[in-house]
Amino acid sequence: EAQARASYMLEAKAVGKARAKAAPLLARAITQAMQGLGMQGGQFEVALRPAPQAAQSGLEDVEFLVAGHAGSTPRPVGKVASGGELSRMALAIAVTTSRLGTAQTLIFDEVDSGVGGAVAETVGRLMQQLGSDRQVLAVTHLPQVAACAHHHLVVSKQLQGKATLSTVAPVGGEQRVAEIARMLGGEKLSGTTLAHAKEMLQSGL
């Protein structure tokens, strides 16, 4: 038992040292990524606290803390971040650690919630960057984000009798341009919105 404990402590302390070295680097990188995702002045921290008892994961409890904007105190992510902020935090973490992770599919549900304009374009570009070496699925209502995708699927709902059915259908070519144009200007399509949509798709890819 003493030998097993000594072996465990040796390995656990090595893990602890590696965590202490990596935590501030990760915090800085994610904080930097947050600035371009509509969370200017926000801060991300990695807190390492002694665990109540030795565990399979080591001698520390690891907690992610976040301050969504300047002047606020970092608190546990799950207690202070909104749904949109959580999605953007997940995107920032995924981009920062993309070369470390092994997940081959990443799913983002309305990661662009509460943002628009240049921030939405940044979100789209970052997801496109992630998609270069893995599969990224994103649910979005913003044309700036959708235009950065390589493939598009349209989700629609239809009432059949008393039941509502959801369908998912791939779109390409001119239909793809039309869907981006609808996201830009509503159901009534004009030459201007279609031209803008085509330009967005060309620049996005």
Side-chain angles (χ1 to χ4, degrees), residues 154-177:
V154 174
V155 181
S156 60
K157 291 184 178 180
Q158 297 175 334
L159 185 64
Q160 292 191 3
K162 295 183 179 180
T164 300
L165 300 179
S166 296
T167 59
V168 181
V171 292
E174 291 303 315
Q175 191 179 2
R176 186 182 184 207
V177 175

Side-chain angles (χ1 to χ4, degrees), residues 64-118:
F64 290 163
L65 308 176
V66 64
H69 50 81
S72 58
T73 303
R75 297 174 57 198
V77 170
K79 294 185 178 179
V80 295
S82 66
E85 286 177 335
L86 282 173
S87 289
R88 276 174 274 154
M89 292 288 303
L91 178 59
I93 293 170
V95 170
T96 303
T97 62
S98 61
R99 303 202 183 280
L100 304 176
T102 57
Q104 290 304 300
T105 300
L106 300 174
I107 301 173
F108 296 102
D109 185 10
E110 297 190 17
V111 68
D112 48 39
S113 176
V115 303

Side-chain angles (χ1 to χ4, degrees), residues 43-157:
Q43 188 177 353
F44 185 87
E45 294 182 4
V46 180
L48 300 176
R49 299 187 176 90
Q53 60 185 22
Q56 184 177 0
S57 57
L59 298 170
E60 305 87 19
D61 285 332
V62 182
E63 188 172 31
F64 290 163
L65 308 176
V66 64
H69 50 81
S72 58
T73 303
R75 297 174 57 198
V77 170
K79 294 185 178 179
V80 295
S82 66
E85 286 177 335
L86 282 173
S87 289
R88 276 174 274 154
M89 292 288 303
L91 178 59
I93 293 170
V95 170
T96 303
T97 62
S98 61
R99 303 202 183 280
L100 304 176
T102 57
Q104 290 304 300
T105 300
L106 300 174
I107 301 173
F108 296 102
D109 185 10
E110 297 190 17
V111 68
D112 48 39
S113 176
V115 303
V119 175
E121 188 174 337
T122 299
V123 170
R125 296 284 183 189
L126 287 175
M127 283 196 284
Q128 187 184 66
Q129 177 185 329
L130 283 175
S132 63
D133 59 1
R134 69 197 66 205
Q135 183 182 48
V136 175
L137 302 177
V139 178
T140 183
H141 295 285
L142 292 184
Q144 297 97 321
V145 175
C148 291
H150 299 93
H151 305 280
H152 292 92
L153 302 168
V154 174
V155 181
S156 60
K157 291 184 178 180

Side-chain angles (χ1 to χ4, degrees), residues 12-37:
K13 287 178 179 179
V15 170
K17 285 182 180 179
R19 282 176 173 152
K21 183 179 179 180
L25 300 177
L26 179 64
R28 281 198 296 271
I30 294 176
T31 295
Q32 184 176 354
M34 288 169 60
Q35 309 311 305
L37 293 172

